[in-house]
Amino acid sequence: MKRNIIYIIILMGTFFSCDNFLELNPETSVSEGTYWKTEKDLTAAVNSVYEVLHSDRTFDEFGMLDVFTDIAASRTVSPFNSMSIGTFDSNHAIILARWQNCYEGIVRANDVLAHVDDMDEVEDDVKNERKGEALFLRAFYYFNLVYFFGDTPLLLNVPTLDDAYIERTPVDDVITQMHLDLDDANNLLTQSPTDVGRATKGAALTLKAKIYMQESQFEKAIPVLQQIMGLGYSLYNDYSKLFLVEGENNAEVIFDVQFASGTGQSQGNKFNTYYGNKSLKAAGWSWFLPTKELIELYETKEDGLADVDPMFDKKDPRMDMTVIRPGATFVDKNDNVCNYPAQVNNYSHAQTGIHCRKFVIEGSSPDADFSGYWDSPQNWIFFRYADVLLMYAEAVNEVDGPVSSVYDAINQVRQRSSVGMPVIEGGKTKEEMREIVHRERGVELALEGWRYFDLKRWGLLKEVNNGFKVINISNGSTVVTRVFNDYHNLWPIPLTEIDRNPNLDQNPGY
């Protein structure tokens, strides 16, 4: 949608008519009677559903979900810190933001779905695409509610006063609706959207597969993943460029949110500021920090080049494409090649002793033409083909064991031309292959936010987090020690929402 879609945030909601002395169709402002007419109206309304994906503290910081895992930590001044170490409560702003942003997107999608079929002036193919997008996005927002909060109110229309005291809907019922939405979206969407960045058939199928995977319904996930694998996606050659402007909208990307800097309309993203260091053009805050556990997750590459530090010796090339670690170099905002950590400004911000490289723009290239903290240009990828291949390898292994298609899928990811890791040789047991898939997902998708969901569905969130010590590799000190109780598997319902609606019961433990 970058440069192809102008985001128009329109006021969505119910239009009330009180008495007949009011103008029902005012000529100087938008009303229900005048708005839902043209293709432009419909497109603007659907664009507003996408706009929620720019939300601060939620989707603009999706990758920071990895701070709830072993591979990343939050800088202690970040609002994510109390969340990651287990000292948060139902008043936390990040919890409220996720709840409210998801429901904002859902209500906007519901408004589209309530009107689209009656828009007689709009061509059917346009209505179908926009309806499919709204259904997909509604399911995506519910995905984010269900796997953080559990039971959650299921709204399928624009709320009225009658919905003010709605109760939570059981997770299974919400998931059933998500599948219905995605099946309809799959039937309505194509693989060639009218604008770059709009949801496609592949996006709807990928979300459906992710739901099956979260529910350990591997037999159901396999045919869906096979459909995606037949849609023409492929791995992008350069892993290091995949997450930068140069690699945007390539054949690996299944669904992303579009960003553009320098528009003057706040269409850039914030993650360069949150991920980057002070020597870079975004003047990074180092809120998101890789851990030594991520470094240890990378395998040794037998034919790799030796480093001076044994901790980083002959590692998987994705390590240095993902993190900036001692002994590495980076390019600062003045295009100087700098040694890390000696030449990074405010190195003390790197409380783990390591900084992010993935997603971070180095130097003063045209990709870094943003002018402020909150205006970096590259898109955020939610779904990509490597993730699909690894889900397929996991699902087939769980159902049939390590058959040849499992090796093929995982080795495609490992053999990306810029990575070139040795293939996984045959003869593995189901349990051995399970561990290989778990590790491969950790390194391939590092800092993208999906490890949180992976650990949750593997039943490992507590095992990984409770008592986990975030270590600073530069001096061996413990930065923080996490606490993770059983109830932390779900977030609390925001207290402000319970205050407004006493029919919302709280999750246990909060």
Side-chain angles (χ1 to χ4, degrees):
M1 276 167 286
K2 183 187 297 184
R3 303 183 183 90
N4 298 91
I5 293 178
I6 300 175
Y7 286 94
I8 304 174
I9 309 172
I10 61 174
L11 180 63
M12 310 297 288
T14 305
F15 297 87
F16 295 96
S17 59
C18 300
D19 293 294
N20 57 13
F21 63 82
L22 293 176
E23 270 194 290
L24 298 182
N25 297 319
E27 297 181 0
T28 58
S29 62
V30 173
S31 74
E32 185 175 8
T34 61
Y35 185 77
W36 296 98
K37 300 293 184 183
T38 67
E39 179 179 331
K40 181 179 178 181
D41 295 340
L42 178 58
T43 298
V46 174
N47 289 353
S48 79
V49 189
Y50 282 100
E51 192 275 336
V52 175
L53 296 175
H54 284 202
S55 298
D56 190 24
R57 297 292 189 270
T58 307
F59 298 106
D60 198 14
E61 298 159 37
F62 192 85
M64 292 189 72
L65 293 174
D66 275 359
V67 303
F68 308 124
T69 78
D70 53 336
I71 66 171
S74 172
R75 188 177 161 208
T76 51
V77 299
S78 160
F80 282 86
N81 183 58
S82 62
M83 293 283 293
S84 68
I85 65 176
T87 60
F88 61 95
D89 58 26
S90 59
N91 282 310
H92 203 290
I94 290 172
I95 294 170
L96 179 62
R98 185 165 295 274
W99 179 279
Q100 291 185 337
N101 290 333
C102 286
Y103 275 111
E104 181 178 12
I106 287 165
V107 170
R108 292 182 182 189
N110 289 347
D111 211 5
V112 171
L113 296 170
H115 292 92
V116 60
D117 289 336
D118 296 326
M119 298 181 72
D120 296 333
E121 297 179 22
V122 182
E123 295 293 330
D124 285 344
D125 58 343
V126 175
K127 288 199 290 187
N128 287 342
E129 183 179 22
R130 300 294 173 265
K131 185 176 181 179
E133 292 170 78
L135 288 164
F136 162 76
L137 289 167
R138 182 167 73 177
F140 184 66
Y141 295 133
Y142 273 120
F143 179 93
N144 278 268
L145 288 167
V146 161
Y147 293 113
F148 286 99
F149 300 102
D151 296 348
T152 192
L154 180 62
L155 291 173
L156 300 178
N157 49 42
V158 178
T160 66
L161 292 177
D162 293 335
D163 300 305
Y165 299 109
I166 190 171
E167 297 180 350
R168 295 169 71 182
T169 304
V171 165
D172 289 347
D173 293 343
V174 180
I175 289 175
T176 296
Q177 184 61 50
M178 289 160 63
H179 280 303
L180 291 172
D181 283 357
L182 293 170
D183 289 342
D184 287 342
N186 180 42
N187 290 329
L188 291 166
L189 295 170
T190 68
Q191 272 303 97
S192 301
T194 53
D195 299 299
V196 173
R198 293 194 180 277
T200 62
K201 186 181 294 289
L205 289 170
T206 301
L207 183 54
K208 189 175 182 68
K210 280 188 171 290
I211 298 168
Y212 282 141
M213 295 297 288
Q214 288 302 123
E215 298 303 306
S216 298
Q217 296 179 328
F218 302 114
E219 290 184 343
K220 292 182 178 180
I222 291 169
V224 179
L225 292 163
Q226 289 172 328
Q227 287 183 66
I228 303 166
M229 292 161 68
L231 290 176
Y233 295 108
S234 61
L235 298 175
Y236 186 64
N237 288 335
D238 193 336
Y239 186 84
S240 66
K241 299 291 195 302
L242 174 60
F243 310 99
L244 301 176
V245 173
E246 182 178 333
E248 286 181 350
N249 304 313
N250 65 77
E252 183 167 344
V253 176
I254 298 175
F255 180 67
D256 63 359
V257 57
Q258 305 280 306
F259 288 98
S261 65
T263 66
Q265 299 174 346
S266 300
Q267 293 304 318
N269 66 61
K270 301 177 179 66
F271 46 82
N272 262 278
T273 297
Y274 294 148
Y275 285 32
N277 68 64
K278 281 290 184 184
S279 294
L280 302 176
K281 195 161 186 179
W285 292 0
S286 309
W287 274 10
F288 190 33
L289 298 166
T291 62
K292 74 176 182 64
E293 282 73 17
L294 174 58
I295 300 300
E296 291 166 353
L297 206 57
Y298 291 101
E299 296 172 87
T300 298
K301 184 177 182 181
E302 294 302 323
D303 58 348
L305 298 176
D307 266 305
V308 295
D309 190 328
M311 184 177 185
F312 309 107
D313 190 27
K314 300 182 181 180
K315 287 280 188 154
D316 182 331
R318 287 173 292 187
M319 180 189 72
D320 277 324
M321 300 179 199
T322 301
V323 307
I324 310 176
R325 44 77 178 184
T329 60
F330 69 97
V331 181
D332 72 6
K333 61 185 177 183
N334 298 312
D335 294 324
N336 298 312
V337 177
C338 299
N339 294 317
Y340 187 90
Q343 293 177 289
V344 63
N345 293 334
N346 297 98
Y347 172 63
S348 61
H349 289 178
Q351 293 173 325
T352 63
I354 317 167
H355 267 103
C356 298
R357 192 190 300 273
K358 197 174 188 178
F359 307 111
V360 176
I361 294 173
E362 298 182 43
S364 62
S365 71
D367 287 358
D369 61 356
F370 48 93
S371 58
Y373 286 143
W374 317 118
D375 197 31
S376 49
Q378 77 265 42
N379 301 341
W380 179 266
I381 303 171
F382 284 113
F383 304 156
R384 59 187 180 91
Y385 188 54
D387 188 358
V388 168
L389 289 171
L390 294 175
M391 285 193 288
Y392 178 77
E394 179 179 350
V396 174
N397 184 61
E398 293 300 328
V399 174
D400 298 323
V403 296
S404 61
S405 61
V406 174
Y407 289 93
D408 179 65
I410 196 169
N411 284 331
Q412 282 187 58
V413 177
R414 293 171 62 85
Q415 288 279 286
R416 188 193 301 264
S417 60
S418 60
V419 174
M421 285 296 290
V423 298
I424 302 296
E425 300 290 348
K428 299 293 187 290
T429 65
K430 181 177 183 176
E431 291 71 25
E432 288 171 337
M433 182 57 77
R434 181 184 295 133
E435 292 302 313
I436 290 170
V437 172
H438 287 191
R439 184 187 64 235
E440 195 67 28
R441 286 189 64 81
V443 298
E444 172 67 23
L445 303 172
L447 313 186
E448 296 179 43
W450 288 108
R451 188 162 178 81
Y452 173 81
F453 296 93
D454 285 349
L455 292 177
K456 175 170 279 195
R457 64 193 174 84
W458 296 334
L460 297 175
L461 266 182
K462 182 177 181 180
E463 179 180 326
V464 164
N465 278 297
N466 193 38
F468 179 81
K469 296 182 184 297
V470 177
I471 302 298
N472 187 327
I473 65 169
S474 66
N475 57 26
S477 64
T478 298
V479 181
V480 293
T481 301
R482 295 177 185 167
V483 174
F484 192 98
N485 298 304
D486 289 336
Y487 63 81
H488 285 135
N489 275 294
L490 291 176
W491 288 5
I493 306 301
L495 181 60
T496 55
E497 299 300 310
I498 291 178
D499 288 342
R500 292 173 183 144
N501 178 7
N503 287 336
L504 291 177
D505 58 303
Q506 185 55 278
N507 283 326
Y510 297 102

